[in-house]
Amino acid sequence: MSAPTLTETSSVQSPPAANTSTRRSSVIIEDKACIPAWVDDLESFRRWAHSDDFPERGWFSYLNGEIWADLSMEELFTHNLVKMEYTTVLASLLRIVQLGYLVSDRMLLSNLAANLSTEPDGLFCFWATVQSGRLRLIEGAKGGYMELEGTPDMVLEIVSRSSVRKDTERLRDLYWRAGIMEYWLVDARGAAPRFDIFRHTKDGYVVTEAQDGWLWSKVFGQGFQLTQQTDPLGHPRYPLLTHSAQSTVGVLDTNV
């Protein structure tokens, strides 16, 4: 899921005829994608996402009654390569201590309690989370696992120009309602990159305070620090540094 833009925040309806029920019209986006009229709730959105009619390009999300869509491409330095950095660093950690699944973007995540279906830029779940049924692997009609349903242990979003409100407001609320322990939010667009780890509490997400420059993750049992450098061609790059005060990752605190 790259940087979705709000295309539709309420039902798009044709004027109702006399004595007929109101229905939403199909939504055409830049003559490249069509959201069918029958997609009007979480169940129908998920059914559409598994169908042959679901667009092969673009990012589409169902966020508690709103359909968000974006057909734009990812920016290279502040989005695509930042996402690659996080994926590479976390994958390296999990090769040392294998405790679960690190999932990159383009995997649909749905949560019934939060009325949510979206494709995060990344997510992680412990194998124990899947074994407990807290997160389920959903098979596609043509085989293979095509969707995750439930609550992973961490989600990652990279902010882009068109996703600011979505990532900082809508998903922050819905990921909390879904019970996700940590929400990692990265914004590398400004003069200095911003990286937050939001911890789940009963009253909402709270920002993890840095300790000597490090953000500590209870999920991974590691400290993380996003830095900024310049590559040999003069473009920005954003190395993600790690620091361990423990010998293993995967220190869960179920009381947060």
Side-chain angles (χ1 to χ4, degrees), residues 106-117:
R106 307 309 315 204
M107 173 57 64
L108 188 66
L109 170 66
S110 298
N111 184 283
L112 302 184
N115 201 24
L116 162 73
S117 189

Side-chain angles (χ1 to χ4, degrees), residues 60-99:
F60 300 84
S61 302
Y62 185 86
L63 306 181
N64 194 26
E66 300 176 348
I67 299 175
W68 293 60
D70 183 21
L71 301 184
S72 64
M73 300 175 69
E74 293 181 347
E75 203 284 323
L76 176 60
F77 298 107
T78 62
H79 194 103
N80 186 275
L81 293 181
V82 173
K83 179 170 57 179
M84 178 67 72
E85 176 72 7
Y86 275 79
T87 301
T88 301
V89 169
L90 293 177
S92 297
L93 289 175
L94 293 168
R95 276 196 292 269
I96 299 172
V97 181
Q98 300 182 23
L99 292 175

Side-chain angles (χ1 to χ4, degrees), residues 177-190:
R177 293 179 184 276
I180 299 172
M181 184 179 301
E182 289 185 355
Y183 176 26
W184 291 26
L185 185 63
V186 183
D187 189 347
R189 297 171 303 140

Side-chain angles (χ1 to χ4, degrees), residues 142-162:
K142 298 180 181 179
Y145 294 104
M146 308 303 293
E147 180 183 9
L148 303 176
E149 178 186 282
T151 303
D153 298 288
M154 182 275 277
V155 288
L156 166 70
E157 297 290 357
I158 313 296
V159 178
S160 63
R161 178 182 55 81
S162 57

Side-chain angles (χ1 to χ4, degrees), residues 9-23:
T9 57
S10 60
S11 295
V12 179
Q13 299 174 341
S14 301
N19 300 321
T20 62
S21 59
T22 302
R23 66 182 298 274

Side-chain angles (χ1 to χ4, degrees), residues 22-63:
T22 302
R23 66 182 298 274
R24 185 175 69 79
S25 300
S26 298
V27 177
I28 308 300
I29 306 170
E30 299 179 5
D31 203 25
K32 297 178 181 178
C34 173
I35 302 175
W38 53 267
V39 178
D40 58 3
D41 59 13
L42 179 61
E43 187 278 330
S44 58
F45 179 88
R46 295 174 66 189
R47 185 154 37 93
W48 176 50
H50 283 268
S51 73
D52 292 337
D53 295 330
F54 195 71
E56 296 182 357
R57 297 191 62 181
W59 290 263
F60 300 84
S61 302
Y62 185 86
L63 306 181

